[in-house]
Amino acid sequence: MSRWLVATMTSVLFIALVVAVSGFEALLADVEPITQPDATPYLGPAMVVAVAIVVFLATVTGAREGNPGVTGLVAAATAYLVMLGVGAVGYALIRGDVTELLVFPAGSALGPFVVGTVVVALLCVVGGIAVVRHRSRTPGPTSQAPGTDGGPR
């Protein structure tokens, strides 16, 4: 499998896991992902898609070289900053208030939606890189003519 395919599958898995984790957080802890009542329903998905791009790029670059753990931590830190940045810019545009560039990240920095998404991003990147590394170390199937599998007849 190519690292591009694994990175794509990792990003899709990331989005699915964020939806599941956010749903369980909302169900069990009775918290909303975005606590601002006047935020549009597109702010949370925009934040998640931005982090999915970070997950994709981190998986692609980390699969080639580097330590999976370090790459995962760098991706998690980048995901945290990107998520808060996209949320702050989006909410500031919604409200039309520049001060929201500072207020939104301050209010959401330790929220369960942001922290849960960053943890899922870390796990997905490390897992995706581990899959690519494992697949590159194991020899693939050799091409043989049909019916010549080398077994007894």
Side-chain angles (χ1 to χ4, degrees):
M1 247 187 289
S2 75
R3 62 189 171 111
W4 298 99
L5 179 62
V6 172
T8 303
M9 291 188 308
T10 302
S11 299
V12 171
L13 175 66
F14 165 75
I15 292 172
L17 287 175
V18 167
V19 169
V21 167
S22 299
F24 278 115
E25 287 173 351
L27 182 66
L28 299 176
D30 196 27
V31 293
E32 293 293 321
I34 306 292
T35 57
Q36 287 75 8
D38 56 345
T40 66
Y42 305 111
L43 185 61
M47 294 165 67
V48 172
V49 167
V51 176
I53 293 169
V54 170
V55 168
F56 177 82
L57 294 174
T59 305
V60 166
T61 56
R64 179 177 282 179
E65 58 189 39
N67 184 347
V70 172
T71 304
L73 288 174
V74 170
T78 306
Y80 184 74
L81 295 175
V82 165
M83 189 163 197
L84 290 176
V86 168
V89 170
Y91 193 63
L93 289 173
I94 292 167
R95 294 280 311 254
D97 188 9
V98 173
T99 58
E100 292 298 332
L101 291 172
L102 297 175
V103 174
F104 182 85
S108 301
L110 295 177
F113 178 57
V114 174
V115 173
T117 302
V118 169
V119 169
V120 170
L122 170 70
L123 295 174
C124 285
V125 169
V126 170
I129 293 172
V131 166
V132 171
R133 296 272 176 88
H134 177 71
R135 297 284 296 173
S136 67
R137 276 185 263 142
T138 37
T142 58
S143 61
Q144 297 177 350
T148 59
D149 59 350
R153 295 191 179 208

